[in-house]
Coordinates of all heavy atoms in Angstrom, one line a residue:
M1275 N 75.6 -185.9 18.8 CA 76.7 -186.5 18.1 C 77.8 -185.6 17.9 O 79.0 -185.9 18.0 CB 76.1 -187.2 16.8 CG 75.2 -188.3 17.1 SD 74.3 -188.9 15.6 CE 75.7 -189.4 14.6
V1276 N 77.4 -184.3 17.5 CA 78.5 -183.3 17.2 C 79.2 -182.9 18.5 O 80.4 -182.7 18.5 CB 77.8 -182.1 16.5 CG1 78.8 -180.9 16.5 CG2 77.3 -182.5 15.1
A1277 N 78.4 -182.8 19.6 CA 79.0 -182.4 20.9 C 80.0 -183.5 21.4 O 80.9 -183.1 22.2 CB 77.9 -182.2 21.9
Y1278 N 79.9 -184.7 20.9 CA 80.9 -185.7 21.3 C 82.1 -185.6 20.4 O 82.0 -186.0 19.2 CB 80.3 -187.1 21.3 CG 81.1 -188.2 21.9 CD1 80.8 -188.7 23.2 CD2 82.3 -188.6 21.4 CE1 81.6 -189.6 23.8 CE2 83.1 -189.6 22.0 CZ 82.7 -190.1 23.2 OH 83.5 -191.0 23.8
E1279 N 83.2 -185.1 20.9 CA 84.3 -184.8 20.0 C 85.0 -186.1 19.5 O 85.4 -187.0 20.3 CB 85.4 -184.0 20.8 CG 86.6 -183.6 20.0 CD 87.8 -184.5 20.3 OE1 88.2 -184.6 21.5 OE2 88.2 -185.2 19.4
T1280 N 85.1 -186.2 18.2 CA 85.8 -187.4 17.6 C 86.8 -187.1 16.6 O 86.9 -187.6 15.5 CB 84.7 -188.3 16.9 OG1 84.0 -187.5 16.0 CG2 83.7 -188.9 17.9
V1281 N 87.7 -186.1 17.0 CA 88.8 -185.8 16.1 C 89.8 -187.0 16.0 O 90.1 -187.6 17.0 CB 89.6 -184.5 16.7 CG1 90.8 -184.3 15.9 CG2 88.7 -183.3 16.7
S1282 N 90.2 -187.3 14.8 CA 91.1 -188.4 14.6 C 92.5 -187.9 14.2 O 92.6 -186.8 13.6 CB 90.6 -189.4 13.5 OG 90.5 -188.7 12.3
H1283 N 93.5 -188.6 14.6 CA 94.9 -188.2 14.4 C 95.7 -189.4 13.8 O 95.4 -190.5 14.2 CB 95.6 -187.7 15.7 CG 94.9 -186.6 16.4 ND1 94.0 -186.8 17.4 CD2 95.0 -185.3 16.2 CE1 93.5 -185.7 17.8 NE2 94.1 -184.7 17.1
P1284 N 96.5 -189.1 12.8 CA 97.3 -190.2 12.2 C 98.0 -191.1 13.2 O 98.7 -190.6 14.1 CB 98.3 -189.4 11.3 CG 97.6 -188.1 11.0 CD 96.9 -187.8 12.2
D1285 N 97.8 -192.4 13.0 CA 98.5 -193.4 13.8 C 98.3 -193.3 15.3 O 99.1 -193.8 16.1 CB 100.0 -193.3 13.5 CG 100.3 -193.4 12.0 OD1 99.7 -194.3 11.3 OD2 101.1 -192.6 11.5
D1286 N 97.2 -192.7 15.7 CA 96.8 -192.6 17.1 C 95.3 -193.1 17.2 O 94.4 -192.3 17.0 CB 96.9 -191.2 17.6 CG 96.6 -191.1 19.1 OD1 96.4 -192.2 19.7 OD2 96.7 -190.0 19.7
P1287 N 95.1 -194.4 17.5 CA 93.8 -194.9 17.4 C 92.7 -194.4 18.3 O 91.6 -194.3 18.0 CB 94.0 -196.4 17.6 CG 95.3 -196.5 18.3 CD 96.1 -195.4 17.8
E1288 N 93.1 -194.0 19.5 CA 92.2 -193.4 20.5 C 90.9 -194.3 20.6 O 89.8 -193.7 20.5 CB 91.9 -192.0 20.2 CG 93.1 -191.1 20.2 CD 92.8 -189.6 19.9 OE1 92.7 -189.3 18.7 OE2 92.5 -188.9 20.9
L1289 N 91.0 -195.6 20.8 CA 89.9 -196.5 20.7 C 88.8 -196.1 21.7 O 87.6 -196.2 21.4 CB 90.4 -197.9 20.8 CG 91.2 -198.5 19.7 CD1 91.5 -199.9 19.9 CD2 90.5 -198.3 18.4
E1290 N 89.3 -195.8 22.9 CA 88.3 -195.5 24.0 C 87.4 -194.4 23.6 O 86.2 -194.4 24.0 CB 89.0 -195.3 25.3 CG 89.7 -196.6 25.9 CD 88.7 -197.8 25.9 OE1 87.6 -197.7 26.4 OE2 89.1 -198.9 25.3
K1291 N 87.9 -193.4 23.0 CA 87.1 -192.2 22.6 C 86.0 -192.6 21.6 O 84.9 -192.3 21.8 CB 88.0 -191.1 22.0 CG 87.2 -189.9 21.4 CD 88.0 -188.7 21.1 CE 89.0 -188.9 19.9 NZ 89.7 -187.7 19.6
F1292 N 86.4 -193.4 20.6 CA 85.4 -193.8 19.6 C 84.4 -194.9 20.2 O 83.3 -194.9 19.8 CB 86.1 -194.4 18.4 CG 86.7 -193.3 17.6 CD1 88.1 -193.0 17.6 CD2 86.0 -192.5 16.7 CE1 88.7 -191.9 16.9 CE2 86.5 -191.4 16.0 CZ 87.9 -191.1 16.1
R1293 N 84.9 -195.7 21.1 CA 84.0 -196.6 21.7 C 83.0 -195.9 22.6 O 81.8 -196.3 22.8 CB 84.7 -197.7 22.5 CG 85.4 -198.7 21.6 CD 86.3 -199.7 22.3 NE 86.9 -200.6 21.3 CZ 88.0 -201.3 21.5 NH1 88.7 -201.1 22.6 NH2 88.4 -202.1 20.5
F1295 N 81.8 -193.0 21.7 CA 80.9 -192.5 20.7 C 79.9 -193.6 20.3 O 78.7 -193.4 20.1 CB 81.6 -192.0 19.5 CG 80.7 -191.4 18.5 CD1 80.0 -190.2 18.7 CD2 80.6 -192.0 17.2 CE1 79.2 -189.7 17.7 CE2 79.8 -191.5 16.2 CZ 79.1 -190.3 16.5
H1337 N 81.7 -191.7 7.8 CA 82.7 -191.8 8.9 C 82.3 -191.1 10.2 O 81.6 -190.1 10.1 CB 84.1 -191.4 8.4 CG 84.1 -190.0 7.8 ND1 84.4 -188.9 8.6 CD2 83.9 -189.5 6.6 CE1 84.4 -187.8 7.9 NE2 84.1 -188.1 6.6
Q1338 N 82.8 -191.6 11.3 CA 82.6 -191.0 12.6 C 83.5 -189.9 12.9 O 83.2 -189.0 13.7 CB 82.8 -192.1 13.7 CG 82.1 -193.4 13.4 CD 82.8 -194.5 14.2 OE1 83.0 -194.4 15.4 NE2 83.1 -195.6 13.6
D1339 N 84.8 -189.9 12.4 CA 85.8 -189.0 12.8 C 85.7 -187.7 12.1 O 85.0 -187.5 11.0 CB 87.2 -189.6 12.6 CG 87.5 -189.9 11.1 OD1 86.5 -190.4 10.5 OD2 88.6 -189.7 10.7
V1340 N 86.2 -186.6 12.7 CA 86.2 -185.3 12.2 C 87.7 -184.7 12.2 O 88.5 -185.3 12.9 CB 85.3 -184.4 12.9 CG1 83.9 -184.9 12.9 CG2 85.7 -184.2 14.4
V1341 N 87.9 -183.7 11.5 CA 89.2 -183.0 11.5 C 89.3 -182.0 12.7 O 88.2 -181.6 13.2 CB 89.4 -182.2 10.2 CG1 89.5 -183.2 9.0 CG2 88.4 -181.2 9.9
P1342 N 90.5 -181.6 13.1 CA 90.6 -180.7 14.2 C 89.9 -179.4 13.9 O 89.7 -179.0 12.7 CB 92.1 -180.4 14.3 CG 92.7 -181.7 13.7 CD 91.8 -182.1 12.6
A1343 N 89.4 -178.7 14.9 CA 88.7 -177.4 14.8 C 89.6 -176.3 15.1 O 90.0 -176.1 16.3 CB 87.5 -177.4 15.7
E1344 N 90.0 -175.6 14.1 CA 90.9 -174.4 14.2 C 90.2 -173.1 13.9 O 89.2 -173.1 13.4 CB 92.2 -174.6 13.3 CG 92.9 -175.9 13.6 CD 94.1 -176.1 12.6 OE1 94.1 -175.4 11.6 OE2 94.9 -177.0 12.8
W1347 N 85.2 -169.6 15.6 CA 83.9 -170.2 15.3 C 82.8 -169.3 15.8 O 82.9 -168.8 17.0 CB 83.8 -171.6 15.9 CG 84.7 -172.6 15.2 CD1 86.0 -172.7 15.3 CD2 84.3 -173.7 14.5 NE1 86.5 -173.7 14.6 CE2 85.4 -174.4 14.1 CE3 83.0 -174.2 14.1 CZ2 85.4 -175.6 13.3 CZ3 83.0 -175.4 13.4 CH2 84.1 -176.1 13.0
P1351 N 83.0 -175.2 18.3 CA 83.0 -176.3 17.3 C 82.4 -177.6 17.9 O 81.9 -178.4 17.1 CB 84.5 -176.5 17.0 CG 85.3 -175.8 18.1 CD 84.4 -174.7 18.6
F1352 N 82.4 -177.8 19.2 CA 81.9 -179.1 19.7 C 80.7 -178.8 20.7 O 80.5 -179.5 21.6 CB 82.9 -179.9 20.4 CG 84.0 -180.3 19.4 CD1 85.3 -179.7 19.4 CD2 83.8 -181.3 18.4 CE1 86.3 -180.1 18.5 CE2 84.7 -181.6 17.5 CZ 86.0 -181.0 17.5
G1363 N 78.5 -176.9 14.5 CA 79.7 -177.5 15.1 C 80.4 -178.4 14.0 O 80.0 -178.6 12.9
R1364 N 81.6 -178.8 14.5 CA 82.4 -179.6 13.6 C 81.8 -181.0 13.4 O 81.4 -181.7 14.4 CB 83.8 -179.8 14.2 CG 84.7 -180.8 13.5 CD 85.1 -180.3 12.1 NE 86.2 -179.4 12.1 CZ 86.4 -178.5 11.2 NH1 85.5 -178.3 10.3 NH2 87.5 -177.7 11.3
G1365 N 81.6 -181.4 12.1 CA 81.1 -182.7 11.8 C 79.6 -182.6 11.5 O 79.0 -183.7 11.1
D1368 N 80.2 -182.9 7.7 CA 81.3 -183.9 7.3 C 81.7 -184.7 8.5 O 82.7 -184.4 9.2 CB 82.5 -183.1 6.8 CG 83.6 -183.9 6.2 OD1 83.4 -185.1 6.0 OD2 84.7 -183.4 6.0
T1369 N 81.0 -185.8 8.7 CA 79.8 -186.2 8.1 C 78.9 -186.9 9.1 O 78.3 -188.0 8.9 CB 80.0 -187.3 7.0 OG1 80.6 -188.4 7.5 CG2 80.8 -186.7 5.8
K1370 N 78.8 -186.4 10.3 CA 77.9 -187.0 11.3 C 76.4 -186.9 10.9 O 75.6 -187.7 11.4 CB 78.2 -186.4 12.7 CG 79.5 -186.8 13.3 CD 79.8 -186.3 14.7 CE 81.1 -186.9 15.2 NZ 81.4 -186.3 16.5
S1399 N 83.8 -195.8 9.5 CA 85.2 -195.9 9.9 C 85.5 -194.7 10.8 O 84.8 -193.7 10.9 CB 86.2 -195.8 8.7 OG 86.3 -194.5 8.2
C1400 N 86.6 -194.8 11.6 CA 87.0 -193.7 12.5 C 88.4 -193.2 12.1 O 89.0 -192.5 12.9 CB 87.1 -194.2 13.9 SG 88.2 -195.6 14.2
T1401 N 88.8 -193.4 10.8 CA 90.1 -193.0 10.4 C 90.1 -192.3 9.0 O 91.1 -192.1 8.4 CB 91.2 -194.1 10.3 OG1 90.7 -195.0 9.3 CG2 91.3 -194.9 11.6
E1402 N 88.9 -191.9 8.6 CA 88.7 -191.4 7.2 C 89.5 -190.1 6.9 O 90.1 -189.9 5.9 CB 87.2 -191.3 6.9 CG 86.9 -191.0 5.4 CD 87.0 -189.5 5.0 OE1 87.1 -188.7 5.9 OE2 87.0 -189.3 3.8
E1403 N 89.5 -189.2 7.9 CA 90.0 -187.9 7.7 C 91.5 -187.9 7.4 O 92.0 -186.9 6.9 CB 89.7 -187.0 8.9 CG 88.2 -186.7 9.0 CD 87.6 -185.8 7.9 OE1 88.4 -185.5 7.0 OE2 86.4 -185.5 7.9
W1404 N 92.2 -188.9 7.8 CA 93.6 -189.0 7.5 C 94.0 -190.2 6.6 O 95.1 -190.6 6.6 CB 94.5 -188.9 8.7 CG 94.2 -190.0 9.8 CD1 93.2 -189.9 10.8 CD2 94.8 -191.2 10.0 NE1 93.2 -191.0 11.5 CE2 94.2 -191.8 11.1 CE3 95.9 -191.9 9.3 CZ2 94.6 -193.1 11.6 CZ3 96.2 -193.1 9.8 CH2 95.6 -193.7 10.9

Side-chain angles (χ1 to χ4, degrees):
M1275 292 168 66
V1276 170
Y1278 193 105
E1279 180 262 298
T1280 54
V1281 174
S1282 63
H1283 303 92
D1285 306 316
D1286 185 1
E1288 299 181 273
L1289 292 183
E1290 292 310 310
K1291 175 166 69 176
F1292 286 99
R1293 285 171 180 158
F1295 183 68
H1337 55 90
Q1338 312 158 50
D1339 60 322
V1340 300
V1341 294
E1344 301 174 348
W1347 290 67
F1352 299 106
R1364 172 66 84 209
D1368 186 12
T1369 60
K1370 286 180 177 176
S1399 78
C1400 60
T1401 65
E1402 192 273 349
E1403 292 294 0
W1404 52 276

